[in-house]
């Protein structure tokens, strides 16, 4: 099972994706997602210039050894670029291992622990009425869990709210990020009313989620969590910036609203304190940004010891390759909570043919050997990379703020 080739494919079928493809001497291929939103080419270069050459001739079956070799051998540890690059190698090697074994990857991870993977969709609207109607659309489509985001009176652009209902994409093309103005006071006065309106219209028979996008201070987040209690949120996501781990204690002291965090974390060390001190309820680390299936499994195992459940990031910038890998892990771990699922555009789905499917509020991984996902390289070549970035937020006085 020697590795004969490792190549990076950058494509933009509506948005940018970076994919690593590994081929063995016997002709088995595996794919791994290496997309880092707004910094795609940094990971592409890390892989092409520093990693692909190291893989040639190595035994593709030695996943743990290759992981340690790339992580410890680089000297410079952690960080989104390094961990996304290692994730891509790791994911591709699991894909190959599955194909070599003639089994779907979830079988190699211990088999199914549940029938399917519950996912949440993204409902958003410029006004409360729009957002409430959008939640209804998701419920009609069979979703059992819906995240709701809404425009805030007095703010022109609010991250997470878009005119495009079906294929929402937060990054915008251009050489620099768009800038928007943010005011936490306006949001805090408004958000509980949004949850009330959703529950009044659609009842309590489904899971309701909300993302605060790191924008609050700990005491503001505590206030929002407390105000949201009557509407029984499944989770309040990213209430404060993810660097401030101690800040989560303040939130915990004041509210029983469950807290989810971790989409920007890259390693088990980033979330160790939050997990072991039980300051969060859901860990949102994901395959592509947290070192692949191998490392994410370690995070999920640590979380299980402390009754923290999984809730992996799954926005459009995580390619179908990442989603397929996430589903194999989600379906097999004992402490699965929920999986984010933002549908990709038809162009993206065509470039990445995959066998996972949506059924009755759940995603089901494919049953063929490996991950059940591939990249159509000919088609991918028709969509060259385009510079695009997530927006930057400023407070009303001009200070740059978390988005
Ligand atoms: O790349 C960052 C995006 O994926 C961001 O919009 C994700 O907050 C996010 C979410 O919860 O999906
Ligand atoms: Mg988020």
């Amino acid at each position: 099972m020697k590795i004969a080739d490792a190549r990076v494919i950058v494509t933009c079928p509506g948005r940018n994706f970076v994919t690593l493809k590994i081929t063995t001497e016997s002709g088995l291929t595996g794919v791994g997602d290496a997309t880092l939103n707004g910094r795609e080419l940094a990971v592409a270069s890390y892989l092409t210039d520093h990693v692909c050459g190291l893989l040639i001739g190595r035994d593709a079956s030695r996943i743990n050894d290759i992981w340690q070799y790339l992580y410890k051998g680089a000297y410079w540890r952690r960080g989104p670029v390094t961990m996304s690059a290692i994730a891509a190698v790791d994911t591709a090697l699991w894909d190959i291992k599955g194909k070599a074994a003639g089994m779907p990857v979830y079988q190699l991870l211990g088999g199914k622990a549940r029938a399917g993977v519950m996912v949440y969709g993204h409902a958003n609207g410029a006004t409360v009425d729009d957002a409430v109607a959008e939640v209804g659309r998701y419920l009609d489509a069979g979703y059992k869990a819906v995240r709701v985001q809404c425009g805030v009176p007095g703010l022109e652009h609010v991250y997470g709210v878009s005119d495009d209902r079906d294929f929402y994409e937060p990054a915008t093309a251009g050489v620099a990020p768009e800038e928007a103005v943010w005011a936490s006071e306006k949001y805090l006065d408004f958000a509980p009313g949004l949850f009330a309106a959703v529950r009044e219209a659609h009842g309590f028979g489904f899971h309701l989620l909300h993302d605060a996008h790191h924008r609050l201070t700990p005491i503001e987040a505590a206030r929002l969590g407390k105000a949201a209690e009557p509407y029984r949120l499944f989770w309040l996501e990213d209430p404060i910036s993810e660097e401030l781990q101690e800040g989560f204690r303040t939130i915990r002291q004041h509210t029983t609203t469950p807290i989810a965090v971790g989409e920007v974390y890259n390693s088990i060390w980033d979330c160790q304190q939050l997990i072991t001190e039980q300051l969060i309820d859901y860990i949102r680390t994901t395959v592509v940004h947290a070192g692949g299936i191998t490392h994410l499994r370690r995070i999920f195992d640590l979380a299980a010891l402390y009754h923290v459940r999984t809730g992996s990031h799954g926005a459009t910038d995580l390619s179908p390759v990442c989603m397929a890998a996430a589903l194999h892990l989600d379906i097999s771990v004992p402490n699965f909570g929920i999986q984010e699922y933002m549908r990709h555009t038809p162009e993206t789905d065509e470039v990445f043919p995959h066998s996972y499917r949506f059924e009755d509020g759940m995603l089901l991984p494919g049953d063929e050997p490996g991950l059940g996902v591939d990249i159509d390289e000919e088609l991918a070549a028709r969509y060259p990379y385009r510079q695009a970035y997530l927006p930057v937020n400023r407070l009303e006085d001009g200070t740059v703020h978390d988005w």
Side-chain angles (χ1 to χ4, degrees):
M1 279 257 288
K2 279 196 177 159
I3 296 173
D5 187 46
R7 265 163 342 98
V8 175
I9 302 146
V10 180
T11 181
C12 184
R15 72 142 11 266
N16 292 314
F17 293 109
V18 179
T19 308
L20 177 71
K21 185 166 185 174
I22 295 180
T23 308
T24 66
E25 283 178 356
S26 59
L28 287 177
T29 59
V31 285
D33 184 18
T35 310
L36 186 61
N37 208 0
R39 297 292 183 271
E40 294 86 358
L41 299 184
V43 189
S45 159
Y46 191 110
L47 284 165
T48 307
D49 297 326
H50 306 293
V51 171
C52 289
L54 301 177
L55 297 174
I56 309 304
R58 254 166 231 288
D59 180 351
S61 68
R62 296 184 60 183
I63 298 179
N64 285 336
D65 181 66
I66 291 176
W67 199 99
Q68 296 293 334
Y69 174 75
L70 293 177
Y71 183 76
K72 294 183 175 163
Y75 188 76
W76 307 108
R77 300 184 185 192
R78 300 156 66 172
V81 175
T82 296
M83 296 305 272
S84 301
I86 295 176
V89 175
D90 184 81
T91 308
L93 294 180
W94 276 102
D95 193 17
I96 288 172
K97 194 178 272 301
K99 289 176 183 169
M103 289 183 194
V105 168
Y106 67 76
Q107 291 292 11
L108 304 179
L109 297 171
K112 289 186 184 178
R114 58 194 52 77
V117 170
M118 180 171 69
V119 295
Y120 67 90
H122 282 224
N124 72 85
T127 64
V128 171
D129 286 349
D130 285 353
V132 167
E134 277 302 297
V135 171
R137 271 208 327 141
Y138 277 90
L139 296 176
D140 291 346
Y143 283 79
K144 298 178 192 322
V146 186
R147 182 186 103 161
V148 69
Q149 305 297 129
C150 188
V152 176
L155 296 180
E156 205 178 332
H157 297 289
V158 172
Y159 186 82
V161 178
S162 135
D163 292 338
D164 190 339
R165 295 281 181 257
D166 291 326
F167 304 108
Y168 164 57
E169 172 52 61
T172 49
V175 294
E178 285 184 352
E179 297 196 13
V181 174
W182 176 254
S184 294
E185 317 79 61
K186 290 180 176 148
Y187 164 71
L188 284 168
D189 286 344
F190 171 78
L194 167 67
F195 308 145
V198 171
R199 285 304 193 195
E200 201 181 322
H202 301 296
F204 283 77
F206 70 102
H207 298 303
L208 180 61
L209 297 81
H210 180 69
D211 192 345
H213 290 301
H214 322 261
R215 294 181 287 217
L216 304 175
T217 65
I219 202 67
E220 287 171 344
R223 177 179 142 202
L224 178 60
K226 206 166 168 178
E229 280 172 19
Y231 314 112
R232 194 164 41 71
L233 293 189
F234 184 89
W235 78 32
L236 173 62
E237 176 180 335
D238 289 343
I240 59 175
S241 76
E242 308 207 359
E243 296 97 322
L244 183 61
Q245 313 243 323
E246 296 81 359
F248 286 83
R249 281 202 201 107
T250 305
I251 305 174
R252 267 288 196 249
Q253 281 157 5
H254 292 281
T255 180
T256 56
T257 293
I259 303 298
V261 82
E263 64 185 49
V264 306
Y265 292 152
N266 325 116
S267 78
I268 197 165
W269 298 281
D270 299 336
C271 46
Q272 184 180 7
Q273 181 188 2
L274 291 179
I275 290 173
T276 58
E277 293 187 22
Q278 293 171 271
L279 298 177
I280 57 170
D281 301 279
Y282 295 91
I283 182 67
R284 283 183 43 71
T285 40
T286 189
V287 171
V288 56
H289 300 137
I293 291 174
T294 299
H295 193 69
L296 190 59
R297 190 153 67 135
R298 296 181 85 183
I299 297 176
F300 286 179
D301 279 344
L302 177 70
L305 299 182
Y306 295 92
H307 295 197
V308 172
R309 289 191 282 162
T310 74
S312 287
H313 187 199
T316 43
D317 47 302
L318 287 70
S319 88
V321 175
C322 176
M323 183 55 77
L327 295 175
H328 284 267
L329 190 55
D330 288 340
I331 207 161
S332 68
V333 296
N335 55 329
F336 169 74
I338 201 165
Q339 169 68 51
E340 179 179 11
Y341 175 46
M342 245 164 131
R343 288 183 309 266
H344 288 112
T345 59
E347 291 78 19
T348 297
D349 284 341
E350 253 190 317
V351 168
F352 297 98
H354 54 265
S355 57
Y356 62 78
R357 61 192 195 281
F358 179 82
E359 245 177 60
D360 197 22
M362 297 197 293
L363 277 178
L364 304 166
D367 292 318
E368 66 272 73
L371 292 173
V373 64
D374 209 341
I375 181 163
D376 180 333
E377 292 190 58
E378 236 177 80
L379 202 52
R382 285 193 221 156
Y383 300 106
Y385 167 81
R386 273 190 314 165
Q387 238 177 322
Y389 296 101
L390 291 171
V392 168
N393 260 336
R394 291 183 187 276
L395 297 179
E396 284 169 316
D397 72 355
T399 313
V400 174
H401 191 54
D402 282 307
W403 46 270

